[in-house]
Amino acid sequence: SQQGEEDPQALSIQEGENATMNCSYKTSINNLQWYRQNSGRGLVHLILIRSNEREKHSGRLRVTLDTSKKSSSLLITASRAADTASYFCAQNTGTASKLTFGTGTRLQVTL
Amino acid sequence: ETGVTQSPTHLIKTRGQQVTLRCSSQSGHNTVSWYQQALGQGPQFIFQYYREEENGRGNFPPRFSGLQFPNYSSELNVNALELDDSALYLCASSLSPHGEQYFGPGTRLTVT
């Protein structure tokens, strides 16, 4: 079963705009990771944020984590058409490196 | 490219048959995790192998089984295939059980 949920389920923006996706989860985590997936292919790792971190940046990506609210957000600034994909948050919990994924946000960036 | 490869790319099987999917991990990675992704859903954790031993299992029946070899490549076996087993099967390798996971392109299995 999915532990987390992304919001919104779908997002359509124009190139150059910012895109914000939110993720909520249910149990304590070791870390939270964001992935991108193009057209049902493999997942590409974007960024990992540990449970004791509150914010992390990587290029045009900014991730925040609020463990008290069990939520995270992914901000993509100055979006490009190539950012069109599905974005998933995944929680790492337990002793194994098990990742629990949400249902994803489908981002469409138009010219 | 993550360096993780999976074979085959696509596969069509009949209900009741058995299937074996293969995954070659990235060089130096000793951990492989397998996920099932149904259409329109997020991936679901099947199990993880660390140094040839199962190191965690998700909510999948015993007919889903796996192996990890001394070179850390891995197989996922599914017996008595059901229609609901149709999905994209993803493997991911990592340097350790808690490390960043690098995913392969997946195997799309269709059960008819």
Side-chain angles (χ1 to χ4, degrees), chain B residues 12-72:
Chain B
I12 300 174
K13 289 286 190 178
T14 303
R15 190 171 49 184
Q17 286 187 317
Q18 178 265 343
V19 69
T20 297
L21 309 182
R22 294 178 175 84
C23 172
S24 291
S25 58
Q26 190 172 114
S27 177
H29 287 190
N30 58 23
T31 304
V32 173
S33 304
W34 285 92
Y35 296 83
Q36 179 196 65
Q37 186 178 22
L39 199 61
Q41 300 294 315
Q44 291 203 40
F45 176 76
I46 303 174
F47 43 57
Q48 180 186 80
Y49 279 84
Y50 170 57
R51 292 184 175 179
E52 303 179 59
E53 298 283 335
E54 187 177 290
N55 185 48
R57 188 179 181 92
N59 189 26
F60 280 80
R63 60 189 185 83
F64 285 78
S65 63
L67 279 175
Q68 188 178 32
F69 300 99
N71 68 354
Y72 302 130

Side-chain angles (χ1 to χ4, degrees), chain A residues 13-85:
Chain A
I13 59 173
Q14 291 191 321
E15 205 171 46
E17 293 181 333
N18 295 341
T20 300
M21 289 160 259
N22 302 297
C23 166
S24 61
Y25 57 92
K26 297 176 183 174
T27 63
S28 297
I29 60 173
N30 298 319
N31 61 63
L32 185 142
Q33 303 177 38
W34 285 88
Y35 287 83
R36 185 185 74 221
Q37 185 176 41
N38 292 83
S39 302
R41 305 232 357 121
L43 293 153
V44 175
H45 186 271
L46 297 176
I47 198 163
L48 180 154
I49 186 165
R50 293 183 170 78
S51 59
N52 61 353
E53 297 176 310
R54 292 297 168 258
E55 187 171 314
K56 206 160 182 181
H57 297 256
S58 176
R60 294 183 296 114
L61 306 179
R62 173 179 168 251
V63 167
T64 62
L65 178 65
D66 186 335
T67 53
S68 66
K69 295 181 180 178
K70 292 186 169 57
S71 67
S72 175
S73 67
L74 170 67
L75 168 67
I76 304 174
T77 60
S79 62
R80 305 165 182 168
D83 294 329
T84 295

Side-chain angles (χ1 to χ4, degrees), chain B residues 76-107:
Chain B
L76 163 65
N77 299 289
V78 187
N79 294 322
L81 283 167
E82 300 176 0
L83 297 179
D84 285 349
D85 296 333
S86 295
L88 180 68
Y89 289 84
L90 297 161
C91 80
S93 74
S94 52
L95 279 170
S96 68
H98 283 286
E100 182 177 317
Q101 295 191 20
Y102 295 82
F103 281 80
T107 293

